[in-house]
Amino acid sequence: MKSPYEDILYRPRPVSRVHPPMPREERAAQFSPFAALTGYGAVVRETERFTEERPELSDSGQEELEWKLRFLEACGAEQPEVTVTYFRPDHRKEGGSRVRISGTWKRLDEQQRMLVLQDGTRIPVEDLLELESPLLEQPEDSP
């Protein structure tokens, strides 16, 4: 049986008299992947990114935190070392993450309700979850 393309199978490739042949590099670019949904991958990655809900402190936890803030503010001249755990809200979607940092106490900005560390870090008081310092450790009672 004869192939329907047998008459053109061994003919030379036609060359245009009007259009010059395209360089190989440009020909390859024609077949590169096409991003029909530009930015879709970034949206998917953002959706996959984990955030947690803002934890709520109990009334006693709030009172203890307020006491610690007042105590450290009174001891501010000593510039104690502190470790702060706070909730950092996510600016792109609901929720956020817990952050734990250490630094040197500078002051409590009452007007803006911010805890300020020596390195310039400012943490909103309403985002505080835990506050630790060697000054806050209570000596154990000896039996």
Side-chain angles (χ1 to χ4, degrees):
M1 172 112 197
K2 189 175 182 181
S3 167
Y5 300 105
E6 198 169 329
D7 59 332
I8 63 169
L9 192 60
Y10 299 105
R11 286 185 158 190
R13 183 172 170 260
V15 178
S16 171
R17 293 181 192 143
V18 180
H19 302 288
M22 185 181 286
R24 280 185 178 267
E25 294 80 22
E26 290 179 30
R27 282 182 46 100
Q30 293 182 72
F31 304 104
S32 65
F34 174 68
L37 300 173
T38 305
Y40 179 72
V43 170
V44 169
R45 283 189 300 279
E46 178 63 26
T47 304
E48 290 174 341
R49 193 169 52 82
F50 177 74
T51 58
E52 60 182 274
E53 290 184 26
R54 177 186 290 271
E56 295 295 325
L57 289 177
S58 66
D59 289 339
S60 62
Q62 275 288 41
E63 288 175 15
E64 181 181 353
L65 194 58
E66 286 292 330
W67 179 86
K68 288 178 178 181
L69 285 169
R70 300 287 168 235
F71 182 82
L72 288 170
E73 182 64 13
C75 299
E78 297 177 36
Q79 296 184 337
E81 287 296 315
V82 293
T83 300
V84 182
T85 304
Y86 67 100
F87 182 78
R88 183 183 332 188
D90 193 298
H91 297 291
R92 294 188 185 139
K93 63 185 194 181
E94 194 170 322
S97 61
R98 289 176 188 249
V99 178
R100 184 177 173 95
I101 62 168
S102 295
T104 305
W105 177 277
K106 183 173 183 180
R107 67 186 172 94
L108 180 63
D109 185 340
E110 289 284 345
Q111 193 169 13
Q112 294 184 353
R113 296 286 293 158
M114 294 277 202
L115 184 151
V116 183
L117 300 179
Q118 287 290 343
D119 66 0
T121 303
R122 300 174 63 83
I123 304 167
V125 171
E126 68 265 8
D127 292 340
L128 290 177
L129 300 173
E130 192 176 333
L131 191 56
E132 301 169 31
S133 174
L135 289 180
L136 296 169
E137 293 177 8
Q138 298 177 3
E140 294 182 23
D141 293 332
S142 303

